[in-house]
Structures are given as C-alpha cells and as structure tokens.
Amino acid sequence: MKKSKIIFLIFAFLSFCFWAFVHPEWLNFHEQYQLFEFSTDYFVEHIVLPGGFVVWFSEFFVQFFYNNFLGALVMTGCLTGIYLLLKNGDNLIALLPPVLIWIYSGDENMMMAFPFAVLLSLFAVKGFERLTLKNKFYLQILIVPLIYWLVGYCAWIYLILSLSVDNNGYRIGKENFIKISALILYLVGFQFFTAYFITRNYPLIDIFCGINYYRLRMEIPDLQHIIALCCIVVPFIKIPQKKWIMYSQLSLIVVVLVLGVIKKYDFDRYSYYKIDYMVRNQEWEKLLDFAKKNNLQSDFASTGVNLALAMTGQMPDRLFEFNQTNNEGFLSTFGYNSFTCTVTAEACYYLGLVNSVLRYNFDLQAAILNCNYSGRFTKRIAEAYILNGRYDVAKRYLNKLKRTVFYRAWALKAEDFISNNNIKSNPDWARLNNIRVKRGLNFSNPHLGEMLMYFSVMGGENRMALDYALSSFLVKRDLKSFVESFPYYTKYFGTSQIPKIYQQAFLLACVQSGYSIDRIPNFISPEIISFFQDFDTAYLLNKNSKVFKTGKYVGTYWKYYLIGN
Amino acid sequence: MKYFYYIILLLFCFMFSCGQMPENVKNVDSLPDIFPDYVGVTVPVNIAPLNFNVKNSQDVYVELSGNGEKLISVGKYADFDIEKWHLLTQKNIGGKIIVSVTAKISDEWKKFKDFDICVSNDSLNDYGLTFRMIPPGYETFAHIGIYQRNIHNFDQEPVVDGMAIQGDCMNCHVPNHANPKEFQLHVRGKHSATFIRRNGEDKYVQTATDSTIANCMYAYWHPSGKYIAYSLNLIHQTFFEDTTKYIEVYDNASDALIMDVDKNQLILYDKLMTEDFESYPVFSTDGKTLFYCSSKPYVKSGILDKMRYSLIKVSFDDKIGKIGCDFDTIINAEKIQKSITHPRPSYDGKYLMFCMADYSVFPIHHTESDLYLLNLEDNTMRNLEEVNSDFAETFHNFSSNSRWFVFNSRRIDEINNLLFISNIDENGHCTKPFLLPQKNPEEYYSNLFFSYNVPDFTSEKVELDIRKFARNIFNTPRIQVGVKRN
C-alpha cells in the first residue's frame, strides 16, 4: 500500500476517534441546536435563501450527531471527502484544508454548513470537469449562480477551480484568466442582485460570506476565509515527489493539527460542553469522576456536579468533596444565551419544577442565535406541557418532533400516552406528577433553599428537592435555616441513617449553640463526634495546616464552613 | 411504454385534482365545526378571504352566495380566490354572504346548516396591520421581529427582523394615527436606541438619562407629531410553579413623561413622576388631554395583587408642552377593585378602549383581562361582552377611521396571543370578532410557535430599508435626549 494511502487511513481513523471518543460533546453541542424536519416546508424555508440548500444538507447530516458513532462517521466522511476531492497525486498538502477545518471546528460557532459547502463545491468542480461539452464555458452562466444559490459563498471555490482545470491539471493562463475575471464580476453582480432584491433582511456580509456558515452573524472569523482560499490554492501546488518533501509536509500538517486542536479545543470551554453532554446522557458517575479529577471550579460545573450527586443519592455525603459556590451552583439564573442554563433546565426537570423546565427551555430555545429549534429543548417543552395537562399545545411540539429521525419514536410514544390519557404509565411523568406543587410556589433563586423546602413539603415525597434545599443552606453557611428545616428530613426519612454531611452540619450547629456533648442528638454518630474533636484540635493548632488541603478533613462540612473549598 | 405514460398522466391528474364533488349527501341539522369560527362574523369589504377548515373533514365543498354572486371552493379546506372573494364582498356591502358547507367526514358527505358572514357598511381602507412576532420565552428572544401584514390578502413581510440585528430585542412599533411615515420603535440590548421617523427624517435616540429611572418604554404620539408620551418602567417578572399560572409581569417603579420630538427633549412633570406608579400615557385625539394609568406602589411592600391602576386624565397644552393641574380620576381602581391598562382613544374622539383585569400592569397573562369601552362624551363604560372571551384580551388599537379595532386574544389555545378584528359602530356596539385570515388557517395556526404582540393598523405599507436601519443601529451615534423640568 502506498504511503500516502496509509497516511490517509490514519487521518480518517484519528478523525473518527477524535469525535467518537475524545470530543463526543462537540457532536452533542451541534446536534442540540437544530431540529431537522422531514417536511416540504422545512426544505422550502431553507432553499429560498442563497446557500440555504447547503444549510439544509448539513442539518440533514448533523442530525446523525445524536449518535456518537454516526456523528464521527459523518465528520470523518466530510473531511476525507474534501481531501479526496483536492488530492492531486501523492501530494499530502491536500490534507491541509481538512486539517484546518478540523481546527476551525474547535470554534463551536462554526456551522457544519461551511465544511459541507466546501465539499459540495469541490464535488461540483469534479462534475464540471467530467462534462464533455464543447463550449462548457457558456454553461457556467447558469451553473455559477446555481452553485452560489445552493452552497453560498463557497461558490467561489467552484468558480475558480472549474475554470482552471484541464487535462493537464489546474493552471491559470491568459485565456482562462479573462474567463475567470468575467465570471467573478458576474457572480459579484448576482450576489448584489440577491442582496438587494431577494434577501433584504440579511446583512450584506452574510450574503457575501455565507448565511449560516457561522452561528454569529457579521462576525465571521478569518480562518474561514483562509480555509476557502486554501481550497482554491492547494490544487495548483505542484510538489516534487521526494521522500523528504513528503515527510516535511506530513510533519508540518501534524504540527498544525496538534497545535491548532490544542488551541481551539481549549479545556475550560470544552469541559462545560462535556458536563452538559454527560448530564444529557445521564452519565452521573462519569461526570463526578471528571469533575473530581480536574477540580472544576465554576457555577456551571457545580450545577452539573450537584445534579449528578443528587441523582446518585450522594449529595448529603459528598457535597463538599467538590467545589461549591453559591445558589448559582444549584440552579443558575438565566444567562441570556442558549447554553449556560442547559444543566439547570435538566436539574429543574429531575426536581419536578415543571414550569421552570418550560421557562428555561423556552429561553434556551429563544436564545439560539440562528433561530433554529432544538430537538432537546423542544422535547422538554412538550413534556412540560403534558405535565401541565395542556395536551393540545404539547401535540403541536410533538408534531414537530414526529418529523425527525431521532425524536420521532419518543414523540409517537408520548402522543400515545396523552391520547389514552394515561401519562402515569410513563414512570418519569408519574413521579413528576406526584411530586409537583399545584399552587402557591414562586420560583426564587435568591431564596432557593426556602423555595425548595416549601416544594418538598407541599408536594409529594421528594428527597432530591429536600437534599437540594438543605445543601443550599449549607453552601450558604446558613446553619439556622438548615437546623430549622432538618425536622422535615427526619420526618420523611427517619433518624436511623442520617447522611454524613448533615450529621457534621448539625453537630457544628450544636457546638455553635454551646451544647454540651450529652445534649447532642443521638442521630449524630460517636465517630462523627470524635472526628470533629480531632478536627477542632487540628484547627485550633494551625488552621493553615496542609491537612486541611489534602488530608482527611477534605470534604467535611467543618472544613468548608471554617476554611472554604 | 405508452401505458407507462398514461399511468404517469393519470397520477398527475390525481395529484392536482381539486378535490371530490359531494355525492350521496346527508343533511345535518347543525352548523359545521369550522376553524376559525367565522360563523356570523362581520368583515369589511375587500378583506382577505376568510378561508377555513372543517374539523375532521377529508374534503369540503363550500358555496358562498349573496346578491346574485356565487363563489365555490372544493378541496381539503375552504380556499377562496382572492379577486372573486373581493368581488363578492363588494356586491354584498351592508348585506350577508350565505355560507353553505358540505364536508366529507368519515367517508360520508354531510351538508350542514348554512351560516352568514356579514359585510359591513364601514370600510377598512388601511393597508394592513403591524405587529411584533415573538417566540415563547421569558428573558431572551433571538428571533423577534416587527412585521406588516396586508389585510386584503395574505402577504406578510418584516418591517425589521431579528435576523438583521441579531440578538437584540425590538418592541413597540408605534405609528402616529396609523401613519407609516411617522413612527417610533425601540431596540433593546447591546445596541439600545429609540428609532423615530418623522417628516422624512430618521433619528436614533438614547432616552436613558440621569434624571429618569429607565429608557422610554410604552409610547403614544401626540396627533401633531410634535410630542410622544412615554412611560418609563422598571419591569420585573416573577415565575410560578402553579399548573395554571406561570408568570406575573410587574413594575418595580414607573413614571410618565412627554418627549418633545423636534427638540429631542424629555419634559418631566413632578405630578407624573410621583411615588405612585404612572404608566401607559396616551393623548386624546384632539391632543388636549393626556390619559394615563396610575397605581399606589403596593409592590414595594411585596403585595403584587393589590397593584390596581386607575385611569386618570389631565389637560395638555400642546403649544407650550405643559400639563395642567386638573387631574381627574375617571375610573378609580380601588373603588371597583380592578386594574385598568392599555388605554387607547378612538381617532374620532368618541371612545377610549382599555383592558381591565383583577390587578396588574401587564394583563396579557391574566385570563380575566377583558376589553372595556369608555364613552368620552358621557363617561359611561361597559364591558365589550360581544368581543371578550374567558381568556386574556389585550393590546387593542383602532383603525384609522375608528370603525374597526384589532386586539390580542388567547382564546384559541390559552398560550399564544392571536389577532382578532372587530367592527365598532358609531354607538359603540361591536360585532363578533374574526381571527386574522390565513391561506390555510389550521395549518398556519397549528404550526405557529410565535405570539402576535402590540398590533396596530397602518394606513400604508411601512417602508424601512432594513439593512440601512441595521447599519445605523450598529454604527450611528445616538442622539442623547435632553431633560427639561416643567
């Protein structure tokens, strides 16, 4: 097998593994901000815009990102497709554009429409190359605007390459230079025509640089233009077939890839996406391991960690093993974007705060900058309406989901439940229906503990809400509220197995109130009391001692209360 | 091969056939179950066709007749030709169009009882409606837009859309007496501005000052175009976990003032900036009176459900821009234990329409909110029972000839605000309102994930160069308004 083929296969393998195993959250991120519908309206909505077809085409493929392996296959297919269409002999330089796209993809606002536009443009070049007509040039008068309409600004790649290729490869001579210049003017004219007569509602930069190539309007990164330029230039490059040149190219590409990926896929940002991904897929233990290993410190991470702790019943035992911030680490206030409250929205769902599920998901959906719908958010909205008994409205959202590949089965099932007025046969909905409060509860983030206490007392038995409430008092160092609320915990769950952190907090409250040992309630175990005495001695001796940072007191409430995280 | 072509031809004929003709028709002694409910509504001449769907039907055969004219629609739903429909309404001004519906339901053709659509003597010559379309959300809206709809057909287009100024909120497109050449709208967010168009001049104004509590918000033009009355509202929201009520929107403070548009100056009046909350100021049609709503500040003590707004009026001298001292509480909220909001005078000066709810400054989330009409000649008011429903009615406005009004109602699904239009005669009697017509109403409204908001009539099409507007929103320095105390 030729070396270039081996390199190609390695590239494809690495690409697949990268998205399937290293950054599946990238796939999740892209999938959750679109909802590809199999409907004529959905297609027409897209095709009426220049470049709209490629957006539709890319969204069709992005829906497969729902599954990591399919998503990784799509990405690999797209990148290797670009390479194969640019490949000129054994030249490895053709790997440069896909490698740059790989790097560019680290910017989560890059829309898949861009790489697919590159792919389709190159494909069109090959198609045009195969045409055997005599006066092919005149056909370009029709094809160039058509390609522009289908793929947007990547039509430039098609225009220049299709007019530069002949039997001897790519070159620009005097004759095709005039043709290219004429068609460039023609395409610019067509773009202006489009801008002023068809898409008056879009900024000019979008018309010239691609609608929905990038999630943020009017802020298209230079890297996108560099990649497009590379796709035009690479086929013209002729490199002698020498071993050292090949290795030099390979080294250059590897260095660019590694450095680029490290820079663009920066850990802090992607750790957020990872947490969101794990929350969505209910990978609670994995999330806790990830947070512990990387000592994550942010409100967002705390929201994910606390949800994972609650879902695994570990909240009152392990809460202070992790960084805790404030109420924002339990349920965040809305961040005016489509991401930072995704985990909070999920936490509200599991807690049974149905209207908050609706509110957060509506706002998350309304904040999607390219105005797409989200399958994930739409599903939760439908569920919230079902739980509120608004089946007619829920059906509207279910109809949307029924027109998709991956949400269809769920939507049909949900429709079945509501048609038979039998939502209680869905265990999740039955639970949420039991625990929710029907009247008299205001959502209040500053008074989260009090709100959740009321919620857990007035609703059905809701251990999770109770743990959230008590934990939020502890994180706020509000021992008074904790002690006042604690009887509700013992009322529901008895005093035989009080979690470690609650015992520690209660003991601390007793000590602060000047209780002698014999007055301390007997649900606090002697081990905890003796442990506290050790802690107290160590603390009085030297509160800056290393033992509080790495030793046995890490994770205790006393350490958090007196020293901090 | 020949047969193959025949089959293809047959398939095409089948695909494009216009629906079945009724056969073996069974007469039914009830009205058809149609969406929207257009039974007995009154429409203006040349309104867009009142297309409708018959619930659960496979095919429909609908015959309209009146004054010798006939119009037939055969298909999946009643879909009338626009020109023929217009002709039919023209021939029946002041009369009735008889609607005869035959529908195929469960493979059986049924002929229902006929019903009427009345064509009013009152014309509606305005071009159409302007309104905001807003997705369901509470704190953010990336896809928000102000649109205009030609009410004589189904054309709808953006006046300005969120696509053009991404991520920024737009609200309160307010024309002066339905005049598209004189209007204002706000942009909120990073590129905050109040856009004002008057006398062919556009300007981008910054209305926040050190002397005022917020940006200018709810607006109403003085008929001369020289002034705009504004309220400044510190808006807050509280969210409920109830199964029926999700949200309450309220002000933490609010004042009213008047802007001198030519001088770019806010005129502050101590009496409109009191400890009480003043909101929704509007000028009377002759420009000599200012109406506004006012409530005691119970919210400051945490009591939301006592926030009831009275309707107050005071004289206004447009020559010197001064309000008088003759404050008169027209409707006392404490007395009637109701809250009055969104006052809107009719342009003929006869009436003032407003919303009344149990409490609140933002009745849109109050199912009990109804429209009321105050007769300005004898100060009598009445509930517009013929128009109201069990759900929230809000955001009403008159057509330029004051014979029609548009309003928001949640009566279709309780969730989305949709637009209804009703006729009001010179004695203040209203007709059964009709839902804004759409080409295929069921398909349109069941796939609609947006609410209509702040509708108003526009006498002509609003011409706004969206791209230039967006460019200016991003780049043009704002004119900072001055302040004058009066």
Side-chain angles (χ1 to χ4, degrees), chain A residues 195 199 201-202 217 336 353-356 359 363 366 369 371 373 388 390 396 436-437 440-443, chain B residues 138-140 142-143 161 163 166 239-244 246 413-416 446 448-449 466-467 474:
Chain A
T199 49
N201 204 26
Y202 284 81
R217 288 187 192 289
Y336 297 94
L353 296 165
V354 176
N355 287 0
S356 299
R359 175 166 59 90
D363 278 330
L369 288 173
C371 307
Y373 281 89
N388 277 344
R390 292 308 314 272
R396 215 182 280 171
R436 75 169 305 185
V437 174
L441 181 67
N442 287 20
F443 185 92
Chain B
Y138 297 84
E139 302 194 55
T140 186
H143 197 187
D161 187 282
M163 285 290 179
Q166 190 181 32
F239 306 107
F240 302 104
E241 280 300 325
D242 294 19
T243 41
T244 48
Y246 300 173
D413 65 5
E414 281 183 67
I415 306 284
N416 283 333
S446 62
L448 183 70
F449 293 91
I466 298 175
R467 211 166 274 139
F474 289 124

Side-chain angles (χ1 to χ4, degrees), chain A residues 210-498:
Chain A
I211 296 172
N212 270 336
Y213 277 6
Y214 196 67
R215 208 182 303 272
L216 310 177
R217 288 187 192 289
M218 297 177 283
E219 289 179 30
I220 294 159
D222 294 338
L223 188 53
Q224 180 184 302
H225 304 305
I226 293 168
I227 293 166
L229 195 67
C230 266
C231 291
I232 294 171
V233 173
V234 160
F236 289 92
I237 299 174
K238 288 183 181 120
I239 299 174
Q241 300 289 318
K242 287 186 179 167
K243 241 185 186 177
W244 71 269
I245 292 178
M246 197 176 111
Y247 285 123
S248 308
Q249 285 178 68
L250 185 64
S251 318
L252 176 77
I253 282 163
V254 169
V255 169
V256 168
L257 179 64
V258 171
L259 293 180
V261 166
I262 290 171
K263 189 169 185 316
K264 281 282 186 180
Y265 282 80
D266 82 277
F267 178 79
D268 284 348
R269 230 170 63 252
Y270 274 83
S271 67
Y272 290 174
Y273 302 147
K274 255 194 191 353
I275 287 171
D276 178 45
Y277 167 76
M278 290 187 273
V279 165
R280 188 179 180 186
N281 292 295
Q282 305 184 23
E283 295 175 355
W284 310 119
E285 290 295 350
K286 220 171 145 186
L287 193 159
L288 293 174
D289 290 346
F290 177 70
K292 184 106 187 153
K293 199 173 140 199
N294 297 291
N295 190 25
L296 299 179
Q297 297 187 5
S298 67
D299 288 346
F300 184 86
S302 295
T303 322
V305 165
N306 290 339
L307 176 59
L309 285 171
M311 292 303 290
T312 48
Q314 302 179 68
M315 189 174 242
D317 287 316
R318 296 185 63 198
L319 186 66
F320 296 103
E321 284 178 28
F322 300 89
N323 184 66
Q324 294 298 335
T325 51
N326 47 45
N327 280 353
E328 292 290 310
F330 291 95
L331 299 176
S332 325
T333 42
F334 190 70
Y336 297 94
N337 62 62
S338 57
F339 180 74
T340 50
C341 279
T342 46
V343 173
T344 297
E346 290 297 286
C348 287
Y349 178 81
Y350 293 113
L351 280 165
L353 296 165
V354 176
N355 287 0
S356 299
V357 173
L358 193 65
R359 175 166 59 90
Y360 276 110
N361 282 289
F362 267 149
D363 278 330
L364 285 165
Q365 183 140 282
I368 299 175
L369 288 173
N370 59 1
C371 307
N372 270 359
Y373 281 89
S374 154
R376 177 182 176 182
F377 304 152
T378 303
K379 188 177 158 198
R380 286 288 189 236
I381 289 168
E383 282 187 278
Y385 275 127
I386 291 170
L387 289 162
N388 277 344
R390 292 308 314 272
Y391 298 161
D392 51 338
V393 186
K395 267 185 184 167
R396 215 182 280 171
Y397 290 90
L398 292 178
N399 283 341
K400 223 170 171 43
L401 295 172
K402 270 159 57 185
R403 296 193 284 265
T404 66
V405 172
F406 292 100
Y407 300 94
R408 184 178 160 77
W410 180 87
L412 286 170
K413 224 173 177 177
E415 203 175 54
D416 203 34
F417 282 127
I418 60 180
S419 309
N420 299 323
N421 204 7
N422 189 22
I423 66 161
K424 286 185 181 159
S425 35
N426 177 319
D428 287 341
W429 296 346
R431 177 186 156 267
L432 292 172
N433 208 41
N434 283 338
I435 60 176
R436 75 169 305 185
V437 174
K438 306 284 187 293
R439 282 208 178 279
L441 181 67
N442 287 20
F443 185 92
S444 169
N445 196 284
H447 304 105
L448 188 73
E450 291 81 354
M451 176 190 82
L452 288 171
M453 270 320 293
Y454 179 87
F455 185 56
S456 53
V457 171
M458 299 307 286
E461 187 180 302
N462 188 347
R463 166 84 190 246
M464 189 175 166
L466 204 53
D467 281 341
Y468 257 70
L470 294 173
S471 300
S472 84
F473 291 138
L474 294 182
V475 167
K476 274 168 72 182
R477 296 180 174 81
D478 181 359
L479 280 176
K480 187 172 173 275
S481 301
F482 171 78
V483 171
E484 280 169 7
S485 309
F486 197 67
Y488 292 108
Y489 183 88
T490 50
K491 184 183 154 196
Y492 287 120
F493 307 108
T495 53
S496 58
Q497 279 185 320
I498 303 289

Side-chain angles (χ1 to χ4, degrees), chain B residues 207-366:
Chain B
T207 59
T209 72
D210 292 341
S211 314
T212 48
I213 57 168
N215 274 305
C216 289
M217 184 81 64
Y218 304 120
Y220 197 88
W221 286 81
H222 189 269
S224 67
K226 248 186 95 181
Y227 303 101
I228 302 176
Y230 281 113
S231 63
L232 320 174
N233 309 63
L234 289 179
I235 299 176
H236 282 257
Q237 307 181 95
T238 189
F239 306 107
F240 302 104
E241 280 300 325
D242 294 19
T243 41
T244 48
K245 193 170 172 93
Y246 300 173
I247 183 173
E248 180 67 53
V249 181
Y250 59 95
D251 290 339
N252 263 346
S254 69
D255 289 327
L257 52 73
I258 291 169
M259 180 198 264
D260 185 323
V261 179
D262 294 336
K263 292 181 185 161
N264 301 315
Q265 193 173 55
L266 302 181
I267 310 170
L268 314 185
Y269 310 92
D270 290 344
K271 291 270 174 93
L272 298 180
M273 301 175 84
T274 65
E275 276 293 295
D276 290 354
F277 290 7
E278 296 83 7
S279 201
Y280 299 118
V282 296
F283 289 107
S284 61
T285 306
D286 61 5
K288 289 186 172 25
T289 307
L290 184 79
F291 298 96
Y292 66 96
C293 303
S294 174
S295 167
K296 293 277 168 213
Y298 291 110
V299 71
K300 286 186 176 167
S301 334
I303 313 168
L304 261 181
D305 56 10
K306 272 188 123 182
M307 288 301 294
R308 298 194 177 96
Y309 287 72
S310 300
L311 182 66
I312 297 172
K313 73 171 180 180
V314 62
S315 61
F316 177 71
D317 185 341
D318 58 354
K319 288 194 186 81
I320 51 173
K322 266 194 165 184
I323 56 167
C325 299
D326 49 344
F327 288 86
D328 180 11
T329 303
I330 309 171
I331 305 171
N332 189 326
E334 298 289 338
K335 235 179 190 173
I336 58 170
Q337 291 289 293
K338 295 273 178 190
S339 182
I340 289 128
T341 49
H342 297 167
R344 281 286 179 272
S346 63
Y347 299 118
D348 59 10
K350 280 185 173 175
Y351 300 107
L352 186 97
M353 199 180 284
F354 54 86
C355 297
M356 205 190 264
D358 289 346
Y359 66 95
S360 171
V361 69
F362 207 73
I364 207 160
H365 300 296
H366 282 250

